[in-house]
Amino acid sequence: MESYKVMIVEDDPVTAMSLEMALQKQGYEVAATVDNTDEAPGKIKIYGPQIVLVDISLQEEADGIELAKYIRAKHQLPFIYLTAHSDAKIIDEAKLTEPYGYIVKPFDPDSLHATIQMAMYKYDEEKKRKENLEGLKNEKLNLEKLLYSKKVSDKPIVTFGGDYHFDISVGETFYRGKKIKLTKKENAFMRLLVAQLGVVVSFEQAIGYVWEEKGATENSVRTLVWRLRNKLPTDVIQNASGIGYYIEE
C-alpha cells in the first residue's frame, strides 16, 4: 500500500479529527488540517501535500469548489471532495472541477482509504501519460529538424534510394517524380526512415512515432513494412534483423 501526505480542509472539528485519526491509523501522513479557504493556499505551499480532501461546503457555502479550482489551476494536485450534500446543483458544479473522487459524510474509513488509493493511482497514470506525450512531442520536433537538415536544395525535398524523394511539406513519397499512394501510417513510417537515412529505426521507435493509439506491437510494424514493400517500386527498405529497419543513405 502506498502512503501519501494528505491535507484536510474541513470546517467541522469533529469530522476533521475523525479524518485525521482514520488517516493516521491507515499509515497516511496528515500534512495539515485547516477549516477555511483563506488559510488553505498558504498551507499547501508550506507543507506540500500530495492530495487534498476538500469539504464542498465550508462555512455553509460552496466555496470548497472555488478552492478546488485553485488547487487544480495553481498546484495541479489531486483532490477529493468531502460532502454531505445531495443538492444536484452543487454536485453538478463540483463535477466541472474534475475531482478525483467523492467521500460522503459520515465517512467509512475503508472507503476513505480506497478512494485515496484510486485517486492517486489515477493521478499518477495521468502524469505518466502527460510525460510520455511531452517526450513524444520533443522526439517529433527533433526528428523534423533532422529531416529538414537532409534537404539537398531550398525545396522541402529529401532524395534517397536513387530515384525516390520525400516531400516534407506534404509528407508524401515519390518515385521518379510520381507520387506513391500510401496510407497515413505508411507515410509516417517513411518520414521516420528518411529522417534517419543510414540509421536503424527500432521497432520501439517506430511504434512510438507511427501509432498514437495503444496496442501496436512489433508484428504491427512488420505488417506495415510488408504492405510498404508491396507498394514501393524497389526494395529500398532494409532489414536489421531483430532490431528494426533502415534505408541506406
Side-chain angles (χ1 to χ4, degrees):
M1 180 202 82
E2 291 285 341
S3 180
Y4 302 100
K5 287 176 68 176
V6 184
M7 178 170 158
I8 301 167
V9 186
E10 169 60 64
D11 62 352
D12 178 62
V14 175
T15 302
M17 185 176 292
S18 297
L19 284 166
E20 284 184 24
M21 292 173 63
L23 290 168
Q24 289 166 349
K25 186 175 180 180
Q26 291 165 337
Y28 296 99
E29 177 186 346
V30 178
T33 301
V34 296
D35 61 4
N36 62 81
T37 56
D38 293 333
E39 289 183 44
K43 297 290 185 182
I44 291 173
K45 291 177 183 176
I46 293 169
Y47 294 104
Q50 293 169 282
I51 187 167
V52 185
L53 307 182
V54 183
D55 185 7
I56 284 183
S57 299
L58 296 163
Q59 289 87 48
E60 301 302 324
E61 297 178 6
D63 54 359
I65 294 174
E66 293 305 312
L67 175 61
K69 291 176 183 177
Y70 166 84
I71 292 169
R72 178 172 284 281
K74 299 295 183 181
H75 297 281
Q76 292 82 51
L77 289 173
F79 57 88
I80 295 170
Y81 281 127
L82 302 164
T83 180
H85 273 280
S86 57
D87 187 308
K89 184 179 178 182
I90 291 177
I91 295 299
D92 286 343
E93 188 180 351
K95 283 180 187 176
L96 297 176
T97 63
E98 299 180 357
Y100 284 76
Y102 294 87
I103 295 170
V104 178
K105 297 187 286 186
F107 70 91
D108 172 68
D110 290 335
S111 294
L112 171 67
H113 169 64
T115 303
I116 292 172
Q117 290 293 312
M118 289 301 296
M120 290 306 301
Y121 174 79
K122 180 183 176 184
Y123 173 75
D124 289 340
E125 288 299 305
E126 286 178 356
K127 191 175 179 182
K128 286 177 190 174
R129 281 196 294 273
K130 287 177 183 177
E131 288 171 353
N132 289 340
L133 284 172
E134 193 59 38
L136 189 58
K137 285 178 185 176
N138 291 334
E139 186 179 335
K140 286 184 176 181
L141 180 61
N142 291 334
L143 194 75
E144 290 304 297
K145 289 179 181 177
L146 192 60
L147 192 58
Y148 274 92
S149 73
K150 296 185 180 298
K151 291 190 305 175
V152 293
S153 66
D154 292 336
K155 294 180 180 180
I157 288 172
V158 180
T159 59
F160 64 96
D163 294 317
Y164 291 90
H165 77 261
F166 187 85
D167 189 324
I168 303 170
S169 63
V170 295
E172 292 181 332
T173 306
F174 294 76
Y175 181 73
R176 294 180 178 175
K178 185 178 179 180
K179 185 175 77 172
I180 304 169
K181 190 174 181 180
L182 301 177
T183 67
K184 183 180 177 181
K185 282 186 171 63
E186 290 164 354
N187 270 316
F189 187 62
M190 289 300 296
R191 192 182 195 94
L192 185 59
L193 289 169
V194 173
Q196 302 181 93
L197 290 175
V199 177
V200 175
V201 172
S202 69
F203 287 108
E204 183 180 7
Q205 188 182 10
I207 290 167
Y209 185 80
V210 177
W211 281 268
E212 295 179 358
E213 69 275 14
K214 291 183 178 181
T217 64
E218 289 187 10
N219 280 336
S220 303
V221 180
R222 291 190 180 97
T223 301
L224 183 71
V225 171
W226 178 81
R227 291 203 311 263
L228 262 172
R229 283 174 168 163
N230 284 328
K231 293 179 180 180
L232 298 174
T234 64
D235 195 13
V236 71
I237 300 175
Q238 305 298 313
N239 285 346
S241 185
I243 302 172
Y245 299 92
Y246 66 98
I247 293 175
E248 289 182 357
E249 192 165 10

